[in-house]
Amino acid sequence: MKKRGLLAVLLIAVMTLLCGCGGMSAEDAQSYAKSIMDASYKGEFDKYIEWTKSSEEEAKELYEGNIDATMQEAGFAGLGLSDELTESYRELFLNMIKQAKYEVGEAKDAGDKAYTIDISVEPFTAFEGLQDEVQAAVTAEMTSMTEVPDQNAINEMVFQKMYDLMAEKIASPTYGEATTVTITVKPDSDGVYYIDQTDMTALDDALFPSDNF
């Protein structure tokens, strides 16, 4: 499975620019940053709704809609998988994102009404060695077959085995040593506070390292 900057990147890309105008205190900046992360990764919208003045329905639609966009970006539509397995992967990805482990530190004045915030991140490592495990499982299955199935059937079998392994690992996730990623909460030219996409991508990469997929 190809990692596309991971699923949460698309969620964050839409959510980070929705904070209302006006100045922020350090406490506000910390709360705002945590609300963005909790909404993007955990599907927890209470504080996000407060900051954005959006409804819970709007927040959930955004969250769910971007998961659908991520599924499309990952190429699932062209694999010929069953609707049941595709939906299982959608739920799996939602569960995986919710495994993100982070702590939002205090905001520090960075000048020009901006704040820097250190985020302590524990990288998700549960999928280390996954490709080798999938290959071994698929090889064992193919060896026992008396007829060669068509490509769609092969895809279904391969992705079912990968799903089974991933679901087991998500149920008992493992994490690496904590690292720190610094983000900046700052106003744009209109005074609307946001977190730059490069900061959020760095956070995402730290939470879900690509070499673990």
Side-chain angles (χ1 to χ4, degrees), residues 91-130:
E91 292 300 317
L92 182 82
F93 291 161
L94 282 169
N95 290 334
M96 178 176 68
I97 290 171
K98 290 177 180 178
Q99 302 298 325
K101 290 187 72 173
Y102 54 83
E103 290 186 11
V104 180
E106 294 183 359
K108 301 177 182 178
D109 191 338
D112 294 328
K113 299 182 180 180
Y115 297 92
T116 57
I117 303 173
D118 287 341
I119 312 294
S120 178
V121 169
E122 293 184 38
F124 181 86
T125 59
F127 292 161
E128 287 183 348
L130 175 66

mmCIF file of all heavy atoms in Angstrom, residues 91-130:
data_model
loop_
_atom_site.group_PDB
_atom_site.id
_atom_site.type_symbol
_atom_site.label_atom_id
_atom_site.label_comp_id
_atom_site.label_asym_id
_atom_site.label_seq_id
_atom_site.Cartn_x
_atom_site.Cartn_y
_atom_site.Cartn_z
ATOM 1 N N GLU A 91 -13.019 1.989 7.263
ATOM 2 C CA GLU A 91 -13.104 1.971 8.720
ATOM 3 C C GLU A 91 -11.741 1.731 9.354
ATOM 4 O O GLU A 91 -11.411 2.298 10.398
ATOM 5 C CB GLU A 91 -14.087 0.887 9.169
ATOM 6 C CG GLU A 91 -15.534 1.163 8.810
ATOM 7 C CD GLU A 91 -16.043 2.447 9.441
ATOM 8 O OE1 GLU A 91 -15.749 2.673 10.636
ATOM 9 O OE2 GLU A 91 -16.712 3.233 8.742
ATOM 10 N N LEU A 92 -10.942 0.901 8.701
ATOM 11 C CA LEU A 92 -9.594 0.630 9.200
ATOM 12 C C LEU A 92 -8.757 1.901 9.236
ATOM 13 O O LEU A 92 -8.054 2.182 10.217
ATOM 14 C CB LEU A 92 -8.919 -0.409 8.309
ATOM 15 C CG LEU A 92 -7.512 -0.851 8.724
ATOM 16 C CD1 LEU A 92 -7.598 -1.912 9.812
ATOM 17 C CD2 LEU A 92 -6.747 -1.401 7.523
ATOM 18 N N PHE A 93 -8.823 2.686 8.164
ATOM 19 C CA PHE A 93 -8.054 3.925 8.103
ATOM 20 C C PHE A 93 -8.509 4.914 9.170
ATOM 21 O O PHE A 93 -7.695 5.603 9.778
ATOM 22 C CB PHE A 93 -8.178 4.553 6.714
ATOM 23 C CG PHE A 93 -7.486 3.783 5.626
ATOM 24 C CD1 PHE A 93 -7.821 3.991 4.294
ATOM 25 C CD2 PHE A 93 -6.513 2.847 5.912
ATOM 26 C CE1 PHE A 93 -7.186 3.291 3.280
ATOM 27 C CE2 PHE A 93 -5.876 2.129 4.908
ATOM 28 C CZ PHE A 93 -6.220 2.356 3.588
ATOM 29 N N LEU A 94 -9.827 4.986 9.382
ATOM 30 C CA LEU A 94 -10.333 5.845 10.450
ATOM 31 C C LEU A 94 -9.781 5.407 11.798
ATOM 32 O O LEU A 94 -9.354 6.235 12.616
ATOM 33 C CB LEU A 94 -11.861 5.808 10.465
ATOM 34 C CG LEU A 94 -12.582 6.645 9.419
ATOM 35 C CD1 LEU A 94 -14.062 6.293 9.384
ATOM 36 C CD2 LEU A 94 -12.408 8.132 9.674
ATOM 37 N N ASN A 95 -9.776 4.101 12.043
ATOM 38 C CA ASN A 95 -9.257 3.589 13.312
ATOM 39 C C ASN A 95 -7.764 3.832 13.438
ATOM 40 O O ASN A 95 -7.267 4.131 14.530
ATOM 41 C CB ASN A 95 -9.549 2.090 13.429
ATOM 42 C CG ASN A 95 -11.014 1.791 13.635
ATOM 43 O OD1 ASN A 95 -11.755 2.625 14.148
ATOM 44 N ND2 ASN A 95 -11.451 0.608 13.235
ATOM 45 N N MET A 96 -7.040 3.720 12.331
ATOM 46 C CA MET A 96 -5.602 3.943 12.364
ATOM 47 C C MET A 96 -5.282 5.383 12.729
ATOM 48 O O MET A 96 -4.419 5.655 13.574
ATOM 49 C CB MET A 96 -4.990 3.591 11.004
ATOM 50 C CG MET A 96 -3.479 3.836 10.927
ATOM 51 S SD MET A 96 -2.787 3.287 9.346
ATOM 52 C CE MET A 96 -3.529 4.466 8.221
ATOM 53 N N ILE A 97 -5.972 6.324 12.105
ATOM 54 C CA ILE A 97 -5.737 7.732 12.392
ATOM 55 C C ILE A 97 -5.962 8.039 13.862
ATOM 56 O O ILE A 97 -5.220 8.813 14.478
ATOM 57 C CB ILE A 97 -6.662 8.608 11.518
ATOM 58 C CG1 ILE A 97 -6.227 8.538 10.056
ATOM 59 C CG2 ILE A 97 -6.638 10.055 11.977
ATOM 60 C CD1 ILE A 97 -7.206 9.195 9.118
ATOM 61 N N LYS A 98 -6.974 7.393 14.441
ATOM 62 C CA LYS A 98 -7.293 7.653 15.843
ATOM 63 C C LYS A 98 -6.231 7.129 16.799
ATOM 64 O O LYS A 98 -6.235 7.462 17.983
ATOM 65 C CB LYS A 98 -8.662 7.047 16.179
ATOM 66 C CG LYS A 98 -9.812 7.781 15.506
ATOM 67 C CD LYS A 98 -11.153 7.133 15.778
ATOM 68 C CE LYS A 98 -12.269 7.887 15.082
ATOM 69 N NZ LYS A 98 -13.590 7.261 15.274
ATOM 70 N N GLN A 99 -5.300 6.313 16.291
ATOM 71 C CA GLN A 99 -4.218 5.805 17.130
ATOM 72 C C GLN A 99 -3.074 6.820 17.296
ATOM 73 O O GLN A 99 -2.110 6.554 18.009
ATOM 74 C CB GLN A 99 -3.633 4.513 16.532
ATOM 75 C CG GLN A 99 -4.643 3.392 16.355
ATOM 76 C CD GLN A 99 -5.256 2.936 17.657
ATOM 77 O OE1 GLN A 99 -4.592 2.915 18.683
ATOM 78 N NE2 GLN A 99 -6.523 2.578 17.620
ATOM 79 N N ALA A 100 -3.177 7.956 16.635
ATOM 80 C CA ALA A 100 -2.123 8.976 16.742
ATOM 81 C C ALA A 100 -1.886 9.361 18.197
ATOM 82 O O ALA A 100 -2.837 9.629 18.938
ATOM 83 C CB ALA A 100 -2.499 10.204 15.924
ATOM 84 N N LYS A 101 -0.620 9.397 18.603
ATOM 85 C CA LYS A 101 -0.269 9.756 19.981
ATOM 86 C C LYS A 101 0.557 11.038 19.962
ATOM 87 O O LYS A 101 1.647 11.073 19.379
ATOM 88 C CB LYS A 101 0.515 8.629 20.658
ATOM 89 C CG LYS A 101 -0.316 7.393 20.953
ATOM 90 C CD LYS A 101 0.453 6.367 21.767
ATOM 91 C CE LYS A 101 0.637 6.847 23.199
ATOM 92 N NZ LYS A 101 1.244 5.800 24.062
ATOM 93 N N TYR A 102 0.039 12.071 20.617
ATOM 94 C CA TYR A 102 0.718 13.364 20.649
ATOM 95 C C TYR A 102 0.296 14.132 21.887
ATOM 96 O O TYR A 102 -0.765 13.880 22.474
ATOM 97 C CB TYR A 102 0.380 14.172 19.393
ATOM 98 C CG TYR A 102 -1.112 14.332 19.155
ATOM 99 C CD1 TYR A 102 -1.853 15.325 19.807
ATOM 100 C CD2 TYR A 102 -1.791 13.475 18.299
ATOM 101 C CE1 TYR A 102 -3.213 15.459 19.603
ATOM 102 C CE2 TYR A 102 -3.152 13.598 18.092
ATOM 103 C CZ TYR A 102 -3.863 14.585 18.743
ATOM 104 O OH TYR A 102 -5.217 14.705 18.540
ATOM 105 N N GLU A 103 1.138 15.078 22.269
ATOM 106 C CA GLU A 103 0.829 16.003 23.347
ATOM 107 C C GLU A 103 1.169 17.406 22.870
ATOM 108 O O GLU A 103 2.268 17.644 22.371
ATOM 109 C CB GLU A 103 1.614 15.677 24.617
ATOM 110 C CG GLU A 103 1.166 14.384 25.299
ATOM 111 C CD GLU A 103 1.855 14.173 26.633
ATOM 112 O OE1 GLU A 103 2.510 15.129 27.125
ATOM 113 O OE2 GLU A 103 1.760 13.064 27.177
ATOM 114 N N VAL A 104 0.228 18.300 23.013
ATOM 115 C CA VAL A 104 0.403 19.681 22.552
ATOM 116 C C VAL A 104 0.971 20.511 23.694
ATOM 117 O O VAL A 104 0.348 20.649 24.745
ATOM 118 C CB VAL A 104 -0.934 20.275 22.076
ATOM 119 C CG1 VAL A 104 -0.739 21.711 21.593
ATOM 120 C CG2 VAL A 104 -1.536 19.406 20.968
ATOM 121 N N GLY A 105 2.175 21.065 23.480
ATOM 122 C CA GLY A 105 2.828 21.857 24.514
ATOM 123 C C GLY A 105 2.297 23.272 24.584
ATOM 124 O O GLY A 105 1.362 23.656 23.862
ATOM 125 N N GLU A 106 2.890 24.059 25.453
ATOM 126 C CA GLU A 106 2.477 25.456 25.613
ATOM 127 C C GLU A 106 2.926 26.287 24.410
ATOM 128 O O GLU A 106 3.967 26.027 23.809
ATOM 129 C CB GLU A 106 3.073 26.043 26.896
ATOM 130 C CG GLU A 106 2.544 25.396 28.168
ATOM 131 C CD GLU A 106 3.106 26.042 29.412
ATOM 132 O OE1 GLU A 106 3.923 26.984 29.274
ATOM 133 O OE2 GLU A 106 2.748 25.612 30.524
ATOM 134 N N ALA A 107 2.121 27.273 24.080
ATOM 135 C CA ALA A 107 2.457 28.176 22.984
ATOM 136 C C ALA A 107 3.432 29.253 23.467
ATOM 137 O O ALA A 107 3.309 29.755 24.587
ATOM 138 C CB ALA A 107 1.191 28.817 22.431
ATOM 139 N N LYS A 108 4.395 29.587 22.617
ATOM 140 C CA LYS A 108 5.395 30.603 22.935
ATOM 141 C C LYS A 108 5.332 31.727 21.904
ATOM 142 O O LYS A 108 5.222 31.478 20.700
ATOM 143 C CB LYS A 108 6.792 29.979 22.956
ATOM 144 C CG LYS A 108 6.940 28.849 23.972
ATOM 145 C CD LYS A 108 8.314 28.217 23.898
ATOM 146 C CE LYS A 108 8.449 27.066 24.887
ATOM 147 N NZ LYS A 108 9.775 26.403 24.789
ATOM 148 N N ASP A 109 5.425 32.947 22.385
ATOM 149 C CA ASP A 109 5.354 34.111 21.504
ATOM 150 C C ASP A 109 6.506 34.085 20.501
ATOM 151 O O ASP A 109 7.675 33.968 20.873
ATOM 152 C CB ASP A 109 5.436 35.377 22.360
ATOM 153 C CG ASP A 109 5.100 36.643 21.572
ATOM 154 O OD1 ASP A 109 5.208 36.615 20.331
ATOM 155 O OD2 ASP A 109 4.750 37.652 22.210
ATOM 156 N N ALA A 110 6.157 34.182 19.221
ATOM 157 C CA ALA A 110 7.164 34.167 18.157
ATOM 158 C C ALA A 110 7.245 35.504 17.442
ATOM 159 O O ALA A 110 7.942 35.638 16.437
ATOM 160 C CB ALA A 110 6.843 33.062 17.149
ATOM 161 N N GLY A 111 6.524 36.507 17.953
ATOM 162 C CA GLY A 111 6.524 37.820 17.320
ATOM 163 C C GLY A 111 5.527 37.905 16.192
ATOM 164 O O GLY A 111 5.077 36.885 15.648
ATOM 165 N N ASP A 112 5.141 39.139 15.832
ATOM 166 C CA ASP A 112 4.174 39.373 14.753
ATOM 167 C C ASP A 112 2.872 38.627 14.986
ATOM 168 O O ASP A 112 2.262 38.100 14.048
ATOM 169 C CB ASP A 112 4.771 38.984 13.396
ATOM 170 C CG ASP A 112 5.932 39.857 12.992
ATOM 171 O OD1 ASP A 112 5.927 41.058 13.361
ATOM 172 O OD2 ASP A 112 6.851 39.346 12.319
ATOM 173 N N LYS A 113 2.459 38.540 16.263
ATOM 174 C CA LYS A 113 1.206 37.901 16.677
ATOM 175 C C LYS A 113 1.175 36.398 16.423
ATOM 176 O O LYS A 113 0.114 35.769 16.436
ATOM 177 C CB LYS A 113 0.012 38.553 15.975
ATOM 178 C CG LYS A 113 -0.155 40.032 16.285
ATOM 179 C CD LYS A 113 -1.390 40.593 15.590
ATOM 180 C CE LYS A 113 -1.551 42.093 15.910
ATOM 181 N NZ LYS A 113 -2.764 42.652 15.237
ATOM 182 N N ALA A 114 2.349 35.817 16.188
ATOM 183 C CA ALA A 114 2.443 34.376 15.934
ATOM 184 C C ALA A 114 2.941 33.647 17.187
ATOM 185 O O ALA A 114 3.527 34.255 18.090
ATOM 186 C CB ALA A 114 3.384 34.099 14.767
ATOM 187 N N TYR A 115 2.719 32.346 17.224
ATOM 188 C CA TYR A 115 3.156 31.513 18.341
ATOM 189 C C TYR A 115 3.754 30.221 17.807
ATOM 190 O O TYR A 115 3.286 29.665 16.807
ATOM 191 C CB TYR A 115 1.982 31.161 19.259
ATOM 192 C CG TYR A 115 1.341 32.340 19.928
ATOM 193 C CD1 TYR A 115 0.245 32.985 19.339
ATOM 194 C CD2 TYR A 115 1.806 32.821 21.148
ATOM 195 C CE1 TYR A 115 -0.356 34.083 19.935
ATOM 196 C CE2 TYR A 115 1.207 33.918 21.761
ATOM 197 C CZ TYR A 115 0.133 34.544 21.152
ATOM 198 O OH TYR A 115 -0.456 35.625 21.758
ATOM 199 N N THR A 116 4.783 29.744 18.486
ATOM 200 C CA THR A 116 5.313 28.421 18.188
ATOM 201 C C THR A 116 4.860 27.462 19.279
ATOM 202 O O THR A 116 4.733 27.841 20.449
ATOM 203 C CB THR A 116 6.848 28.418 18.107
ATOM 204 O OG1 THR A 116 7.394 28.908 19.343
ATOM 205 C CG2 THR A 116 7.330 29.272 16.950
ATOM 206 N N ILE A 117 4.629 26.220 18.893
ATOM 207 C CA ILE A 117 4.160 25.200 19.827
ATOM 208 C C ILE A 117 4.925 23.916 19.559
ATOM 209 O O ILE A 117 4.991 23.442 18.417
ATOM 210 C CB ILE A 117 2.655 24.937 19.660
ATOM 211 C CG1 ILE A 117 1.852 26.224 19.846
ATOM 212 C CG2 ILE A 117 2.177 23.873 20.643
ATOM 213 C CD1 ILE A 117 0.367 26.067 19.533
ATOM 214 N N ASP A 118 5.512 23.347 20.605
ATOM 215 C CA ASP A 118 6.192 22.061 20.491
ATOM 216 C C ASP A 118 5.166 20.942 20.696
ATOM 217 O O ASP A 118 4.463 20.904 21.712
ATOM 218 C CB ASP A 118 7.298 21.929 21.533
ATOM 219 C CG ASP A 118 8.502 22.795 21.221
ATOM 220 O OD1 ASP A 118 8.644 23.220 20.050
ATOM 221 O OD2 ASP A 118 9.305 23.053 22.139
ATOM 222 N N ILE A 119 5.121 20.034 19.739
ATOM 223 C CA ILE A 119 4.223 18.879 19.821
ATOM 224 C C ILE A 119 5.083 17.634 20.062
ATOM 225 O O ILE A 119 5.964 17.315 19.265
ATOM 226 C CB ILE A 119 3.420 18.688 18.524
ATOM 227 C CG1 ILE A 119 2.789 20.006 18.066
ATOM 228 C CG2 ILE A 119 2.377 17.597 18.715
ATOM 229 C CD1 ILE A 119 1.736 20.555 18.969
ATOM 230 N N SER A 120 4.840 16.943 21.168
ATOM 231 C CA SER A 120 5.523 15.682 21.437
ATOM 232 C C SER A 120 4.781 14.572 20.704
ATOM 233 O O SER A 120 3.580 14.380 20.897
ATOM 234 C CB SER A 120 5.547 15.397 22.940
ATOM 235 O OG SER A 120 6.162 14.143 23.200
ATOM 236 N N VAL A 121 5.500 13.844 19.885
ATOM 237 C CA VAL A 121 4.894 12.863 18.982
ATOM 238 C C VAL A 121 5.531 11.501 19.214
ATOM 239 O O VAL A 121 6.756 11.376 19.290
ATOM 240 C CB VAL A 121 5.110 13.279 17.515
ATOM 241 C CG1 VAL A 121 4.729 12.162 16.575
ATOM 242 C CG2 VAL A 121 4.329 14.542 17.203
ATOM 243 N N GLU A 122 4.700 10.460 19.335
ATOM 244 C CA GLU A 122 5.191 9.085 19.379
ATOM 245 C C GLU A 122 4.840 8.414 18.050
ATOM 246 O O GLU A 122 3.662 8.256 17.734
ATOM 247 C CB GLU A 122 4.561 8.319 20.541
ATOM 248 C CG GLU A 122 4.988 8.827 21.903
ATOM 249 C CD GLU A 122 4.425 7.997 23.046
ATOM 250 O OE1 GLU A 122 4.353 6.756 22.890
ATOM 251 O OE2 GLU A 122 4.047 8.590 24.071
ATOM 252 N N PRO A 123 5.837 8.053 17.248
ATOM 253 C CA PRO A 123 5.560 7.496 15.924
ATOM 254 C C PRO A 123 4.880 6.135 15.978
ATOM 255 O O PRO A 123 5.261 5.265 16.765
ATOM 256 C CB PRO A 123 6.958 7.393 15.290
ATOM 257 C CG PRO A 123 7.903 7.329 16.446
ATOM 258 C CD PRO A 123 7.278 8.162 17.522
ATOM 259 N N PHE A 124 3.880 5.966 15.160
ATOM 260 C CA PHE A 124 3.147 4.705 15.038
ATOM 261 C C PHE A 124 4.019 3.697 14.300
ATOM 262 O O PHE A 124 4.419 3.928 13.165
ATOM 263 C CB PHE A 124 1.853 4.974 14.268
ATOM 264 C CG PHE A 124 0.961 3.785 14.077
ATOM 265 C CD1 PHE A 124 0.051 3.431 15.049
ATOM 266 C CD2 PHE A 124 1.005 3.051 12.903
ATOM 267 C CE1 PHE A 124 -0.802 2.347 14.864
ATOM 268 C CE2 PHE A 124 0.162 1.974 12.709
ATOM 269 C CZ PHE A 124 -0.740 1.622 13.688
ATOM 270 N N THR A 125 4.342 2.589 14.952
ATOM 271 C CA THR A 125 5.257 1.610 14.363
ATOM 272 C C THR A 125 4.621 0.241 14.176
ATOM 273 O O THR A 125 5.312 -0.730 13.868
ATOM 274 C CB THR A 125 6.518 1.456 15.236
ATOM 275 O OG1 THR A 125 6.135 1.025 16.557
ATOM 276 C CG2 THR A 125 7.282 2.776 15.343
ATOM 277 N N ALA A 126 3.322 0.145 14.361
ATOM 278 C CA ALA A 126 2.657 -1.159 14.348
ATOM 279 C C ALA A 126 2.780 -1.888 13.013
ATOM 280 O O ALA A 126 2.673 -3.118 12.965
ATOM 281 C CB ALA A 126 1.177 -1.004 14.717
ATOM 282 N N PHE A 127 3.009 -1.136 11.923
ATOM 283 C CA PHE A 127 3.048 -1.764 10.612
ATOM 284 C C PHE A 127 4.464 -2.122 10.156
ATOM 285 O O PHE A 127 4.667 -2.494 9.000
ATOM 286 C CB PHE A 127 2.396 -0.857 9.561
ATOM 287 C CG PHE A 127 0.915 -0.702 9.733
ATOM 288 C CD1 PHE A 127 0.250 0.358 9.139
ATOM 289 C CD2 PHE A 127 0.177 -1.597 10.489
ATOM 290 C CE1 PHE A 127 -1.116 0.513 9.294
ATOM 291 C CE2 PHE A 127 -1.189 -1.453 10.649
ATOM 292 C CZ PHE A 127 -1.841 -0.393 10.053
ATOM 293 N N GLU A 128 5.429 -2.020 11.034
ATOM 294 C CA GLU A 128 6.782 -2.426 10.669
ATOM 295 C C GLU A 128 6.787 -3.908 10.284
ATOM 296 O O GLU A 128 6.259 -4.759 11.004
ATOM 297 C CB GLU A 128 7.748 -2.181 11.826
ATOM 298 C CG GLU A 128 8.072 -0.713 12.053
ATOM 299 C CD GLU A 128 9.087 -0.500 13.162
ATOM 300 O OE1 GLU A 128 9.358 -1.467 13.905
ATOM 301 O OE2 GLU A 128 9.606 0.620 13.282
ATOM 302 N N GLY A 129 7.367 -4.212 9.151
ATOM 303 C CA GLY A 129 7.424 -5.595 8.679
ATOM 304 C C GLY A 129 6.151 -6.083 8.013
ATOM 305 O O GLY A 129 6.055 -7.260 7.639
ATOM 306 N N LEU A 130 5.174 -5.192 7.833
ATOM 307 C CA LEU A 130 3.891 -5.605 7.273
ATOM 308 C C LEU A 130 4.031 -6.185 5.873
ATOM 309 O O LEU A 130 3.428 -7.220 5.558
ATOM 310 C CB LEU A 130 2.934 -4.408 7.253
ATOM 311 C CG LEU A 130 1.572 -4.643 6.586
ATOM 312 C CD1 LEU A 130 0.755 -5.643 7.367
ATOM 313 C CD2 LEU A 130 0.810 -3.323 6.428
#
